[in-house]
Amino acid sequence: MSTFLAVPVAPSPHRRRVSFVSLGVLVAVLLAAGAAAAAFLWSPIAALSAPFTPSAASGSIATPVSIDDGSLPAIAKLDPALREAVRAAGAAAAAEGVELGITGGWRSREYQQWLLEDAIESYGDEGIARQFVATPDRSHHVSGDAVDIGSLDAQLWLIEHGAQWGLCQIYANERWHFELATDPGGACPALLADAEG
């Protein structure tokens, strides 16, 4: 029977140096990965995926405004001919005691998409939501070619008199939505059923 004698062996200084170097490399890699992750999270790409919040800059209007409030992008970015037609109609309406308060005008693509997604969530069905909110590619608000009018009195007044300035209700299910759709004094086209056309 043979006997083995355990003899303690001192670690090689070279082996210890390699271990420290390996540990240092590992720490450096982890720190670099953490820094890269942090940089990504704060990059403009990550900012694009942040939740959208409607603002005046994106065309949101909190309370009805005048067509003359050019400080708001929702008004300032409307098609100039539409803005002038609404201004003229508004003056005639005011003479009859009716105020044409604007509740919607130009909107950014992002705001329009947000409205669509909100409608889908509210209705629980994309098909129903799209009857009331167009996609950014189809919305005339995004192009600055549509306004929404606030009060029922103003909507009914504009439905009756708006064609004098070329302003027409477009959708049967949205009495508040108006666009330039005829020559001043002309006849408005037949109503589309909804925003899906």
Side-chain angles (χ1 to χ4, degrees), residues 16 19-20 28 31 53 68 79 81 83 96 115 123 139 147 149 153 163 166-167 175-177 185 188 191 196:
R16 204 174 308 141
S19 296
F20 286 134
L31 288 173
T53 301
D68 294 318
D79 173 74
R83 198 169 47 244
E96 295 183 27
L115 288 169
Y123 291 110
S139 173
V147 294
I149 301 298
D153 287 346
L167 296 166
R175 68 177 176 269
W176 53 85
H177 181 101
C188 288
L191 295 173
E196 278 288 282

Side-chain angles (χ1 to χ4, degrees), residues 47-53 114:
L48 291 177
S49 65
F52 176 81
T53 301
W114 182 86

Side-chain angles (χ1 to χ4, degrees), residues 96-109:
E96 295 183 27
V98 177
E99 182 181 346
L100 298 187
I102 309 297
T103 59
W106 168 87
R107 297 178 188 143
S108 70
R109 293 181 61 80

Side-chain angles (χ1 to χ4, degrees), residues 107 112 115-116 119 128-135 174 195-196:
R107 297 178 188 143
Q112 187 68 27
L115 288 169
L116 178 59
I128 294 172
R130 288 177 65 159
Q131 291 174 16
F132 296 95
V133 183
T135 64
E174 293 186 24
E196 278 288 282

Side-chain angles (χ1 to χ4, degrees), residues 68-86:
D68 294 318
D69 193 347
S71 67
L72 294 171
I75 302 300
K77 293 185 178 185
L78 286 172
D79 173 74
L82 173 62
R83 198 169 47 244
E84 287 309 311
V86 173

Side-chain angles (χ1 to χ4, degrees), residues 12-170:
S12 160
H14 298 292
R15 201 178 276 165
R16 204 174 308 141
R17 192 176 6 219
V18 169
S19 296
F20 286 134
V21 169
S22 298
L23 182 61
V25 168
L26 178 61
V27 168
V29 167
L30 290 174
L31 288 173
F40 173 76
L41 291 174
W42 292 103
S43 70
I45 293 171
L48 291 177
S49 65
F52 176 81
T53 301
S55 66
S58 64
S60 178
I61 297 175
T63 59
V65 298
S66 165
I67 193 67
D68 294 318
D69 193 347
S71 67
L72 294 171
I75 302 300
K77 293 185 178 185
L78 286 172
D79 173 74
L82 173 62
R83 198 169 47 244
E84 287 309 311
V86 173
R87 185 173 284 124
E96 295 183 27
V98 177
E99 182 181 346
L100 298 187
I102 309 297
T103 59
W106 168 87
R107 297 178 188 143
S108 70
R109 293 181 61 80
E110 294 79 14
Y111 183 30
Q112 187 68 27
Q113 183 63 39
W114 182 86
L115 288 169
L116 178 59
E117 290 169 6
D118 185 59
I120 292 168
E121 186 176 322
S122 294
Y123 291 110
D125 181 274
E126 183 173 354
I128 294 172
R130 288 177 65 159
Q131 291 174 16
F132 296 95
V133 183
T135 64
D137 291 332
R138 292 181 54 127
S139 173
H140 289 189
H141 285 285
V142 171
S143 62
D145 294 317
V147 294
D148 292 339
I149 301 298
S151 74
L152 177 59
D153 287 346
Q155 294 163 9
L156 295 175
W157 189 94
L158 202 53
I159 288 168
E160 183 178 347
H161 302 286
Q164 293 176 39
W165 298 275
L167 296 166
C168 300
Q169 176 188 2
I170 301 300

